[in-house]
Coordinates of all heavy atoms in Angstrom, one line a residue:
M1 N 13.8 12.7 11.4 CA 13.8 13.2 9.9 C 13.5 12.0 9.0 O 13.9 10.9 9.3 CB 15.2 13.7 9.6 CG 15.3 14.2 8.2 SD 17.0 14.9 8.0 CE 17.1 14.9 6.2
A2 N 12.6 12.2 8.0 CA 12.1 11.1 7.2 C 13.3 10.6 6.3 O 14.2 11.3 6.0 CB 11.0 11.6 6.3
A3 N 13.2 9.3 6.0 CA 14.3 8.7 5.2 C 13.7 7.7 4.3 O 12.6 7.1 4.7 CB 15.3 8.1 6.1
F4 N 14.3 7.4 3.2 CA 13.8 6.3 2.3 C 14.5 5.1 2.6 O 15.7 5.1 2.8 CB 14.0 6.7 0.8 CG 13.0 7.7 0.3 CD1 13.1 9.1 0.5 CD2 11.8 7.3 -0.3 CE1 12.2 10.0 0.0 CE2 10.8 8.2 -0.8 CZ 11.0 9.5 -0.7
V5 N 13.8 4.0 2.7 CA 14.4 2.6 2.9 C 13.9 1.7 1.8 O 12.8 1.8 1.3 CB 14.0 2.1 4.2 CG1 14.6 2.9 5.4 CG2 12.4 1.9 4.4
K6 N 14.8 0.8 1.4 CA 14.5 -0.1 0.3 C 13.6 -1.2 0.9 O 13.9 -1.7 2.0 CB 15.8 -0.8 -0.2 CG 15.5 -1.8 -1.3 CD 16.6 -2.7 -1.6 CE 16.2 -3.9 -2.5 NZ 17.2 -4.9 -2.7
V7 N 12.5 -1.5 0.1 CA 11.5 -2.5 0.6 C 11.4 -3.6 -0.5 O 10.8 -4.7 -0.1 CB 10.2 -1.9 0.9 CG1 10.4 -1.0 2.2 CG2 9.6 -1.2 -0.3
A8 N 11.8 -3.4 -1.7 CA 11.5 -4.4 -2.7 C 12.3 -4.1 -4.0 O 12.8 -3.0 -4.1 CB 10.1 -4.5 -3.1
E9 N 12.5 -5.1 -4.8 CA 13.0 -4.9 -6.2 C 11.8 -4.6 -7.1 O 10.7 -5.3 -6.8 CB 13.7 -6.1 -6.7 CG 14.9 -6.5 -5.9 CD 16.2 -5.6 -6.2 OE1 16.2 -5.1 -7.4 OE2 17.0 -5.5 -5.4
T10 N 11.9 -3.8 -8.1 CA 10.8 -3.6 -8.9 C 10.1 -4.8 -9.5 O 8.9 -4.9 -9.7 CB 11.2 -2.6 -10.1 OG1 12.4 -3.1 -10.8 CG2 11.5 -1.3 -9.6
G11 N 11.0 -5.8 -9.8 CA 10.5 -7.1 -10.5 C 9.7 -7.9 -9.6 O 9.0 -8.9 -10.0
E12 N 9.7 -7.6 -8.3 CA 9.0 -8.5 -7.3 C 7.5 -8.2 -7.3 O 6.7 -9.0 -6.8 CB 9.5 -8.2 -5.9 CG 10.9 -8.7 -5.6 CD 11.3 -8.3 -4.2 OE1 10.7 -8.9 -3.2 OE2 12.3 -7.6 -4.0
V13 N 7.1 -7.0 -7.7 CA 5.7 -6.6 -7.7 C 5.2 -6.3 -9.1 O 5.5 -5.2 -9.6 CB 5.5 -5.5 -6.7 CG1 3.9 -5.4 -6.4 CG2 6.2 -5.7 -5.4
A14 N 4.5 -7.2 -9.7 CA 4.0 -7.0 -11.1 C 2.8 -5.9 -11.0 O 2.2 -5.8 -10.1 CB 3.6 -8.3 -11.7
P15 N 2.5 -5.3 -12.2 CA 1.5 -4.4 -12.3 C 0.2 -5.2 -11.9 O -0.1 -6.3 -12.3 CB 1.3 -4.0 -13.8 CG 2.8 -4.1 -14.2 CD 3.4 -5.3 -13.5
G16 N -0.6 -4.5 -11.0 CA -1.9 -5.1 -10.6 C -1.7 -6.0 -9.3 O -2.6 -6.6 -8.8
Q17 N -0.4 -6.0 -8.8 CA -0.1 -6.8 -7.7 C 0.3 -6.0 -6.4 O 0.5 -4.8 -6.6 CB 1.0 -7.8 -8.0 CG 0.7 -8.7 -9.2 CD -0.4 -9.7 -8.8 OE1 -0.4 -10.4 -7.8 NE2 -1.4 -9.8 -9.7
A18 N 0.3 -6.7 -5.3 CA 0.7 -6.0 -4.0 C 1.7 -6.8 -3.3 O 1.8 -8.1 -3.5 CB -0.5 -5.8 -3.2
K19 N 2.4 -6.3 -2.4 CA 3.4 -7.0 -1.5 C 3.4 -6.3 -0.1 O 3.3 -5.2 0.0 CB 4.8 -6.9 -2.2 CG 5.9 -7.5 -1.4 CD 7.2 -7.3 -2.0 CE 8.4 -7.7 -1.2 NZ 8.5 -9.2 -1.0
C20 N 3.4 -7.2 0.9 CA 3.5 -6.7 2.2 C 5.0 -6.4 2.6 O 5.8 -7.3 2.3 CB 3.0 -7.7 3.3 SG 1.3 -8.2 3.1
V21 N 5.3 -5.3 3.0 CA 6.7 -5.0 3.4 C 6.8 -4.4 4.8 O 5.8 -3.9 5.3 CB 7.3 -4.0 2.4 CG1 7.3 -4.7 0.9 CG2 6.6 -2.7 2.3
E22 N 8.0 -4.4 5.3 CA 8.2 -3.8 6.7 C 9.1 -2.6 6.4 O 10.1 -2.7 5.7 CB 9.0 -4.8 7.6 CG 8.1 -6.1 7.8 CD 7.0 -5.9 8.8 OE1 7.2 -4.9 9.6 OE2 6.0 -6.6 8.8
A23 N 8.8 -1.5 7.0 CA 9.7 -0.4 7.0 C 9.4 0.5 8.2 O 8.2 0.8 8.5 CB 9.4 0.5 5.7
G24 N 10.4 1.0 8.8 CA 10.3 1.9 10.0 C 9.5 1.4 11.1 O 8.8 2.1 11.8
G25 N 9.5 0.0 11.2 CA 8.8 -0.7 12.3 C 7.3 -0.8 12.1 O 6.6 -1.2 13.0
R26 N 6.8 -0.6 10.9 CA 5.4 -0.8 10.6 C 5.3 -1.7 9.3 O 6.1 -1.8 8.5 CB 4.6 0.5 10.5 CG 5.2 1.4 9.4 CD 5.0 2.9 9.8 NE 3.6 3.2 9.8 CZ 3.1 4.4 10.2 NH1 4.0 5.3 10.7 NH2 1.9 4.7 10.3
T27 N 4.1 -2.3 9.2 CA 3.8 -3.1 8.0 C 3.1 -2.2 7.0 O 2.2 -1.5 7.3 CB 3.0 -4.3 8.3 OG1 3.6 -5.0 9.4 CG2 2.8 -5.2 7.2
I28 N 3.6 -2.2 5.8 CA 3.1 -1.4 4.7 C 2.7 -2.2 3.5 O 3.3 -3.2 3.2 CB 4.2 -0.3 4.3 CG1 4.4 0.6 5.6 CG2 3.8 0.4 3.1 CD1 5.6 1.5 5.5
A29 N 1.7 -1.8 2.9 CA 1.2 -2.5 1.7 C 1.7 -1.7 0.5 O 1.5 -0.5 0.3 CB -0.3 -2.5 1.6
L30 N 2.5 -2.4 -0.4 CA 3.1 -1.8 -1.6 C 2.3 -2.3 -2.8 O 2.1 -3.5 -2.9 CB 4.6 -2.2 -1.6 CG 5.4 -1.7 -2.9 CD1 5.6 -0.2 -2.8 CD2 6.7 -2.4 -3.0
F31 N 1.9 -1.4 -3.6 CA 1.1 -1.7 -4.8 C 1.8 -1.2 -6.1 O 2.4 -0.2 -6.1 CB -0.3 -1.1 -4.7 CG -1.1 -1.5 -3.5 CD1 -1.0 -0.7 -2.3 CD2 -1.9 -2.6 -3.5 CE1 -1.8 -1.1 -1.3 CE2 -2.6 -3.0 -2.5 CZ -2.6 -2.2 -1.3
N32 N 1.7 -2.0 -7.1 CA 2.0 -1.6 -8.5 C 0.8 -1.4 -9.3 O 0.0 -2.3 -9.6 CB 2.9 -2.7 -9.1 CG 3.4 -2.3 -10.5 OD1 2.8 -1.5 -11.2 ND2 4.5 -2.9 -10.9
V33 N 0.5 -0.1 -9.6 CA -0.6 0.3 -10.5 C 0.0 0.7 -11.8 O 0.5 1.8 -11.9 CB -1.4 1.5 -9.9 CG1 -2.6 1.9 -10.8 CG2 -1.9 1.0 -8.4
E34 N -0.1 -0.1 -12.8 CA 0.3 0.1 -14.2 C 1.8 0.6 -14.2 O 2.1 1.6 -14.9 CB -0.6 1.1 -14.9 CG -2.1 0.5 -14.9 CD -3.1 1.5 -15.5 OE1 -2.8 2.6 -15.7 OE2 -4.2 1.0 -15.8
G35 N 2.6 0.1 -13.4 CA 4.0 0.4 -13.4 C 4.5 1.4 -12.4 O 5.6 1.7 -12.3
F36 N 3.5 2.1 -11.8 CA 3.8 3.1 -10.8 C 3.6 2.4 -9.4 O 2.5 1.8 -9.1 CB 3.0 4.3 -10.9 CG 3.3 5.1 -12.2 CD1 2.6 4.8 -13.4 CD2 4.4 5.9 -12.2 CE1 2.9 5.5 -14.5 CE2 4.7 6.7 -13.4 CZ 4.0 6.4 -14.6
F37 N 4.4 2.7 -8.5 CA 4.4 2.1 -7.1 C 3.8 3.1 -6.1 O 4.0 4.3 -6.1 CB 5.7 1.7 -6.6 CG 6.3 0.5 -7.4 CD1 7.0 0.7 -8.5 CD2 6.0 -0.8 -6.9 CE1 7.5 -0.4 -9.3 CE2 6.5 -1.9 -7.7 CZ 7.2 -1.7 -8.8
Y38 N 2.9 2.5 -5.2 CA 2.2 3.3 -4.1 C 2.3 2.5 -2.9 O 2.3 1.2 -2.9 CB 0.8 3.6 -4.5 CG 0.7 4.4 -5.8 CD1 0.4 3.7 -7.0 CD2 0.8 5.8 -5.8 CE1 0.3 4.4 -8.2 CE2 0.7 6.4 -7.0 CZ 0.5 5.8 -8.2 OH 0.5 6.5 -9.4
A39 N 2.3 3.2 -1.7 CA 2.5 2.5 -0.5 C 1.5 3.2 0.6 O 1.5 4.3 0.7 CB 3.8 2.6 0.1
I40 N 0.7 2.3 1.3 CA -0.1 2.8 2.4 C 0.0 1.9 3.6 O 0.5 0.7 3.3 CB -1.6 2.8 2.0 CG1 -2.1 1.5 1.4 CG2 -1.8 3.9 0.8 CD1 -3.6 1.5 1.1
D41 N -0.3 2.3 4.7 CA -0.3 1.4 5.9 C -1.2 0.2 5.6 O -2.2 0.3 5.0 CB -0.8 2.2 7.1 CG 0.3 2.9 7.8 OD1 1.4 2.7 7.4 OD2 0.0 3.6 8.8
N42 N -0.7 -0.9 6.1 CA -1.3 -2.3 5.7 C -2.6 -2.5 6.5 O -3.4 -3.3 6.0 CB -0.3 -3.4 6.0 CG -0.8 -4.7 5.5 OD1 -1.2 -4.9 4.3 ND2 -0.8 -5.7 6.4
T43 N -2.8 -1.9 7.6 CA -3.8 -2.3 8.6 C -5.1 -1.5 8.3 O -5.2 -0.3 8.5 CB -3.3 -2.1 10.0 OG1 -2.1 -2.7 10.2 CG2 -4.3 -2.6 10.9
C44 N -6.1 -2.2 7.9 CA -7.4 -1.6 7.6 C -7.9 -1.0 8.9 O -7.8 -1.6 10.0 CB -8.4 -2.7 7.2 SG -10.1 -2.1 6.9
T45 N -8.6 0.1 8.8 CA -9.1 0.9 10.0 C -10.3 0.3 10.5 O -10.9 0.8 11.5 CB -9.2 2.4 9.7 OG1 -10.1 2.5 8.5 CG2 -7.9 3.0 9.4
H46 N -10.9 -0.6 9.9 CA -12.1 -1.3 10.4 C -11.8 -2.3 11.5 O -11.9 -2.0 12.7 CB -12.9 -2.0 9.3 CG -14.2 -2.7 9.8 ND1 -14.5 -3.9 9.4 CD2 -15.1 -2.3 10.6 CE1 -15.6 -4.3 9.9 NE2 -16.1 -3.3 10.7
R47 N -11.2 -3.5 11.2 CA -10.8 -4.4 12.2 C -9.5 -4.9 12.1 O -9.0 -5.9 12.6 CB -11.8 -5.6 12.2 CG -13.3 -5.3 12.5 CD -13.6 -5.3 14.0 NE -14.9 -4.7 14.3 CZ -16.0 -5.4 14.1 NH1 -16.1 -6.6 13.7 NH2 -17.2 -4.8 14.4
G48 N -8.6 -4.2 11.2 CA -7.3 -4.6 11.1 C -6.9 -5.5 10.0 O -5.8 -6.2 10.1
G49 N -7.8 -5.7 9.0 CA -7.5 -6.6 7.9 C -6.3 -6.1 7.1 O -5.9 -4.9 7.1
P50 N -5.5 -7.1 6.5 CA -4.2 -6.8 5.8 C -4.5 -6.4 4.3 O -4.8 -7.2 3.5 CB -3.5 -8.2 5.8 CG -4.7 -9.2 5.8 CD -5.8 -8.5 6.6
L51 N -4.3 -5.1 4.1 CA -4.7 -4.6 2.9 C -3.8 -5.1 1.7 O -4.2 -5.2 0.5 CB -4.6 -3.1 2.8 CG -5.6 -2.4 3.8 CD1 -5.5 -0.9 3.8 CD2 -7.1 -2.8 3.5
C52 N -2.6 -5.5 2.0 CA -1.7 -6.2 1.1 C -2.2 -7.4 0.5 O -1.8 -7.9 -0.5 CB -0.3 -6.3 1.6 SG -0.2 -7.5 2.8
E53 N -3.2 -8.0 1.2 CA -3.8 -9.3 0.7 C -5.1 -9.0 0.0 O -5.8 -9.9 -0.4 CB -4.0 -10.2 1.8 CG -2.7 -10.6 2.5 CD -2.8 -11.6 3.7 OE1 -3.9 -12.1 3.8 OE2 -1.8 -11.7 4.4
G54 N -5.5 -7.7 -0.2 CA -6.8 -7.4 -0.8 C -6.7 -7.5 -2.3 O -5.6 -7.5 -2.9
E55 N -7.8 -7.4 -2.9 CA -7.8 -7.4 -4.4 C -7.6 -5.9 -4.9 O -8.3 -5.0 -4.5 CB -9.2 -7.8 -4.9 CG -9.3 -7.9 -6.4 CD -10.6 -8.4 -7.0 OE1 -11.5 -8.5 -6.1 OE2 -10.7 -8.8 -8.1
L56 N -6.7 -5.8 -5.8 CA -6.4 -4.5 -6.3 C -7.1 -4.4 -7.8 O -6.7 -5.2 -8.7 CB -4.9 -4.3 -6.5 CG -4.4 -2.9 -7.1 CD1 -4.8 -1.8 -6.2 CD2 -2.9 -3.1 -7.4
I57 N -7.9 -3.4 -7.9 CA -8.5 -3.1 -9.3 C -8.3 -1.7 -9.6 O -8.7 -0.8 -8.8 CB -10.0 -3.4 -9.2 CG1 -10.2 -4.9 -8.9 CG2 -10.7 -3.0 -10.6 CD1 -11.7 -5.3 -8.9
G58 N -7.5 -1.4 -10.5 CA -7.1 0.0 -10.9 C -6.2 0.5 -9.7 O -5.3 -0.1 -9.4
D59 N -6.7 1.6 -9.2 CA -5.9 2.1 -8.0 C -6.7 2.0 -6.7 O -6.5 2.7 -5.8 CB -5.6 3.7 -8.3 CG -6.7 4.5 -8.6 OD1 -7.9 4.0 -8.4 OD2 -6.5 5.7 -9.0
E60 N -7.6 1.0 -6.6 CA -8.4 0.8 -5.5 C -8.3 -0.6 -5.0 O -8.3 -1.6 -5.7 CB -9.9 1.0 -5.8 CG -10.2 2.4 -6.2 CD -11.7 2.6 -6.6 OE1 -12.5 1.7 -6.5 OE2 -12.0 3.7 -7.1
V61 N -8.0 -0.7 -3.6 CA -7.8 -2.1 -3.1 C -9.0 -2.3 -2.1 O -9.4 -1.4 -1.4 CB -6.5 -2.2 -2.2 CG1 -6.4 -1.3 -1.0 CG2 -6.2 -3.6 -1.8
T62 N -9.4 -3.6 -2.2 CA -10.6 -4.0 -1.3 C -10.0 -4.9 -0.2 O -9.3 -5.8 -0.4 CB -11.6 -4.8 -2.2 OG1 -12.1 -4.0 -3.2 CG2 -12.7 -5.3 -1.3
C63 N -10.4 -4.4 1.0 CA -9.9 -5.2 2.2 C -10.4 -6.6 2.2 O -11.6 -6.8 1.9 CB -10.4 -4.5 3.5 SG -10.0 -5.4 5.1
P64 N -9.6 -7.6 2.4 CA -10.0 -9.0 2.2 C -11.0 -9.5 3.3 O -11.6 -10.5 3.2 CB -8.7 -9.7 2.3 CG -7.8 -8.9 3.1 CD -8.2 -7.4 2.8
W65 N -11.1 -8.7 4.4 CA -11.9 -9.1 5.5 C -13.4 -8.8 5.4 O -14.3 -9.6 5.5 CB -11.4 -8.7 6.9 CG -10.1 -9.4 7.3 CD1 -9.5 -10.3 6.5 CD2 -9.4 -9.4 8.5 NE1 -8.4 -10.8 7.2 CE2 -8.4 -10.2 8.4 CE3 -9.6 -8.5 9.7 CZ2 -7.4 -10.4 9.5 CZ3 -8.7 -8.7 10.7 CH2 -7.7 -9.6 10.6
H66 N -13.7 -7.5 5.2 CA -15.1 -7.2 5.1 C -15.4 -6.2 4.0 O -16.5 -5.5 3.9 CB -15.6 -6.4 6.5 CG -15.2 -7.2 7.7 ND1 -14.1 -6.8 8.4 CD2 -15.6 -8.4 8.2 CE1 -13.9 -7.7 9.4 NE2 -14.8 -8.6 9.4
G67 N -14.5 -6.0 3.1 CA -14.8 -5.2 1.9 C -14.6 -3.8 1.8 O -15.1 -3.2 0.8
A68 N -14.0 -3.2 2.8 CA -13.8 -1.7 2.7 C -12.9 -1.4 1.5 O -12.0 -2.3 1.1 CB -13.2 -1.2 4.0
I69 N -13.0 -0.3 0.9 CA -12.2 0.0 -0.3 C -11.4 1.3 0.0 O -11.9 2.3 0.6 CB -13.2 0.3 -1.5 CG1 -14.0 -0.9 -1.8 CG2 -12.3 0.8 -2.7 CD1 -15.1 -0.6 -2.9
F70 N -10.1 1.2 -0.4 CA -9.2 2.3 -0.1 C -8.5 2.7 -1.5 O -8.2 1.8 -2.3 CB -8.0 1.9 0.8 CG -8.5 1.6 2.2 CD1 -9.0 0.3 2.6 CD2 -8.4 2.5 3.2 CE1 -9.5 0.1 3.9 CE2 -8.9 2.3 4.5 CZ -9.4 1.1 4.9
D71 N -8.2 4.0 -1.6 CA -7.4 4.5 -2.7 C -6.0 4.3 -2.4 O -5.5 4.8 -1.4 CB -7.7 6.0 -2.8 CG -7.1 6.6 -4.0 OD1 -6.0 6.2 -4.4 OD2 -7.6 7.6 -4.5
V72 N -5.3 3.5 -3.1 CA -3.9 3.1 -2.8 C -2.9 4.4 -3.1 O -1.9 4.4 -2.6 CB -3.3 1.9 -3.6 CG1 -4.3 0.7 -3.3 CG2 -3.2 2.2 -5.0
K73 N -3.5 5.4 -3.8 CA -2.5 6.6 -4.1 C -2.7 7.6 -3.0 O -1.7 8.3 -2.8 CB -3.0 7.2 -5.4 CG -2.8 6.4 -6.6 CD -3.3 7.1 -7.9 CE -3.0 6.3 -9.1 NZ -3.4 7.0 -10.4
T74 N -3.7 7.6 -2.2 CA -3.9 8.5 -1.1 C -4.1 7.9 0.2 O -3.9 8.6 1.3 CB -5.1 9.4 -1.4 OG1 -6.3 8.6 -1.3 CG2 -5.0 10.1 -2.8
G75 N -4.5 6.7 0.4 CA -4.8 6.0 1.7 C -6.3 6.4 2.1 O -6.8 5.9 3.1
N76 N -6.9 7.2 1.3 CA -8.4 7.6 1.6 C -9.3 6.4 1.5 O -9.1 5.5 0.7 CB -8.9 8.7 0.7 CG -8.2 9.9 0.9 OD1 -7.6 10.2 1.9 ND2 -8.3 10.9 -0.1
V77 N -10.3 6.4 2.4 CA -11.3 5.3 2.4 C -12.3 5.7 1.3 O -12.8 6.8 1.3 CB -11.9 4.9 3.7 CG1 -12.6 6.1 4.4 CG2 -12.6 3.7 3.6
L78 N -12.7 4.7 0.5 CA -13.7 5.0 -0.5 C -15.0 4.3 -0.3 O -16.0 4.6 -1.0 CB -13.2 4.7 -1.9 CG -11.9 5.3 -2.3 CD1 -11.3 4.8 -3.6 CD2 -12.0 6.8 -2.5
G79 N -15.0 3.2 0.5 CA -16.2 2.5 0.7 C -16.2 1.8 2.1 O -15.1 1.5 2.6
P80 N -17.3 1.7 2.7 CA -17.5 1.1 4.1 C -17.1 -0.4 4.1 O -17.0 -1.0 3.1 CB -19.0 1.3 4.4 CG -19.6 1.3 3.0 CD -18.6 1.9 2.1
P81 N -16.9 -0.9 5.3 CA -17.2 -0.3 6.7 C -16.0 0.4 7.3 O -16.1 0.8 8.5 CB -17.5 -1.5 7.4 CG -16.7 -2.6 6.9 CD -16.6 -2.3 5.4
A82 N -14.9 0.6 6.7 CA -13.8 1.3 7.3 C -14.1 2.7 7.7 O -14.6 3.5 6.9 CB -12.5 1.2 6.5
P83 N -13.9 3.2 8.9 CA -14.3 4.5 9.3 C -13.5 5.7 8.8 O -13.9 6.8 8.7 CB -14.3 4.5 10.8 CG -13.2 3.5 11.2 CD -13.3 2.5 10.0
H84 N -12.2 5.4 8.5 CA -11.3 6.4 8.0 C -10.2 5.8 7.2 O -9.9 4.6 7.3 CB -10.9 7.5 9.0 CG -10.3 6.8 10.2 ND1 -9.0 6.4 10.2 CD2 -10.7 6.4 11.4 CE1 -8.7 5.8 11.4 NE2 -9.8 5.8 12.1
G85 N -9.4 6.7 6.5 CA -8.3 6.2 5.7 C -7.1 5.8 6.5 O -7.0 5.8 7.7
V86 N -6.0 5.3 5.7 CA -4.8 4.9 6.3 C -3.7 5.9 5.8 O -3.9 6.6 4.8 CB -4.5 3.5 5.9 CG1 -5.4 2.5 6.6 CG2 -4.4 3.3 4.5
A87 N -2.6 5.9 6.5 CA -1.5 6.7 6.1 C -0.9 6.2 4.7 O -0.9 5.1 4.4 CB -0.4 6.8 7.1
R88 N -0.5 7.2 3.9 CA 0.2 6.8 2.7 C 1.7 7.3 2.9 O 2.1 8.1 3.7 CB -0.3 7.6 1.4 CG -0.1 9.1 1.5 CD -0.4 9.8 0.2 NE 0.6 9.5 -0.8 CZ 1.7 10.2 -0.9 NH1 2.0 11.3 -0.1 NH2 2.6 10.0 -1.8
H89 N 2.5 6.6 2.1 CA 3.9 6.8 2.2 C 4.5 7.2 0.9 O 4.1 6.5 -0.2 CB 4.7 5.6 2.8 CG 4.2 5.2 4.2 ND1 4.7 5.7 5.3 CD2 3.2 4.4 4.6 CE1 4.0 5.2 6.3 NE2 3.0 4.4 5.9
A90 N 5.4 8.1 0.8 CA 6.0 8.4 -0.5 C 6.8 7.2 -1.0 O 7.5 6.5 -0.1 CB 6.8 9.6 -0.3
V91 N 6.9 7.0 -2.2 CA 7.6 5.9 -2.8 C 8.6 6.5 -3.9 O 8.1 7.4 -4.6 CB 6.7 4.9 -3.5 CG1 7.5 3.7 -4.1 CG2 5.7 4.3 -2.4
R92 N 9.8 6.0 -4.1 CA 10.6 6.3 -5.1 C 11.3 5.1 -5.7 O 11.6 4.1 -4.9 CB 11.6 7.4 -4.8 CG 12.7 6.9 -3.9 CD 13.6 8.1 -3.5 NE 14.8 7.6 -2.7 CZ 15.7 8.4 -2.1 NH1 15.5 9.8 -2.2 NH2 16.6 7.9 -1.4
V93 N 11.6 5.1 -6.9 CA 12.3 3.9 -7.5 C 13.7 4.5 -7.9 O 13.9 5.5 -8.6 CB 11.6 3.5 -8.8 CG1 12.4 2.3 -9.5 CG2 10.2 2.9 -8.4
Q94 N 14.7 3.7 -7.3 CA 16.1 4.0 -7.7 C 16.7 2.8 -8.3 O 16.9 1.8 -7.8 CB 16.9 4.2 -6.3 CG 16.3 5.3 -5.5 CD 16.9 6.7 -5.9 OE1 16.4 7.3 -6.8 NE2 17.9 7.1 -5.2
G95 N 16.8 2.9 -9.7 CA 17.3 1.8 -10.5 C 16.2 0.7 -10.4 O 15.1 0.9 -10.7
S96 N 16.6 -0.4 -9.8 CA 15.7 -1.6 -9.7 C 15.1 -1.7 -8.3 O 14.4 -2.6 -8.0 CB 16.4 -2.9 -10.1 OG 17.5 -3.2 -9.2
E97 N 15.4 -0.7 -7.4 CA 15.0 -0.7 -6.1 C 13.9 0.2 -5.7 O 13.9 1.3 -6.2 CB 16.2 -0.4 -5.1 CG 17.3 -1.4 -5.2 CD 18.4 -1.1 -4.3 OE1 18.5 0.0 -3.6 OE2 19.3 -1.9 -4.2
V98 N 12.8 -0.4 -5.0 CA 11.7 0.4 -4.6 C 12.0 0.8 -3.2 O 12.2 0.0 -2.3 CB 10.4 -0.4 -4.7 CG1 9.2 0.5 -4.3 CG2 10.1 -1.0 -6.0
E99 N 11.8 2.2 -2.9 CA 12.1 2.7 -1.6 C 10.9 3.4 -1.1 O 10.1 4.1 -1.9 CB 13.3 3.6 -1.7 CG 14.6 3.0 -2.1 CD 15.7 3.9 -2.1 OE1 15.5 5.2 -2.2 OE2 16.9 3.6 -2.1
I100 N 10.7 3.3 0.3 CA 9.5 3.9 0.9 C 10.0 4.9 1.9 O 10.9 4.6 2.7 CB 8.6 2.9 1.6 CG1 7.9 2.1 0.4 CG2 7.6 3.6 2.4 CD1 7.0 1.0 1.1
E101 N 9.3 6.1 2.0 CA 9.7 7.1 3.0 C 9.0 6.7 4.3 O 7.8 6.5 4.3 CB 9.3 8.5 2.5 CG 9.8 9.6 3.5 CD 9.4 10.9 3.0 OE1 8.4 11.1 2.3 OE2 10.2 11.8 3.1
V102 N 9.7 6.6 5.3 CA 9.3 6.4 6.7 C 9.6 7.4 7.7 O 10.5 8.2 7.5 CB 9.7 4.9 7.2 CG1 9.1 3.9 6.3 CG2 11.3 4.9 7.3
Ligands
FES201 S1 -11.1 -5.3 8.6 FE1 -11.1 -4.3 6.6 S2 -13.2 -4.0 6.2 FE2 -13.2 -5.0 8.1

């Protein structure tokens, strides 16, 4: 059964920033897009680049290794060379805590 786990404090990830977090045994990229938090699997589907280290512009992150673009709200791939998207995870904010569903 799915459960929410705390992965960060809201103040740790400023708007336009990302953070690598661990939840449910996987590495997840947490993003703050204009005050709203989104989470997708961290591992790029091309060669495994760390999406939490990519550049975030609006709601799109660019993989730091070869430039694939992902929608951080859905996990969908928007630009090559990644062959397909990554899993997205539900996020909720409880007070000052950011929680991800795993
Ligand atoms: S590993 Fe992400 S684009 Fe190549």
Side-chain angles (χ1 to χ4, degrees):
M1 183 174 158
F4 281 87
V5 297
K6 179 193 170 187
V7 293
E9 296 282 336
T10 53
E12 290 179 61
V13 191
Q17 300 295 311
K19 178 180 170 68
C20 300
V21 300
E22 299 282 338
R26 55 212 295 173
T27 305
I28 294 170
L30 177 68
F31 299 93
N32 182 334
V33 179
E34 298 177 353
F36 294 94
F37 290 90
Y38 301 95
I40 58 175
D41 274 352
N42 186 55
T43 305
C44 179
T45 54
H46 179 225
R47 297 273 169 78
L51 299 181
C52 66
E53 296 177 14
E55 183 180 16
L56 179 65
I57 298 177
D59 55 11
E60 299 177 3
V61 65
T62 300
C63 177
W65 285 5
H66 315 100
I69 300 171
F70 293 85
D71 183 331
V72 304
K73 294 181 177 178
T74 64
N76 292 340
V77 65
L78 303 174
H84 54 81
V86 294
R88 66 168 286 277
H89 301 273
V91 180
R92 71 182 184 188
V93 175
Q94 300 277 79
S96 63
E97 299 185 347
V98 182
E99 299 180 340
I100 291 178
E101 187 177 35
V102 293

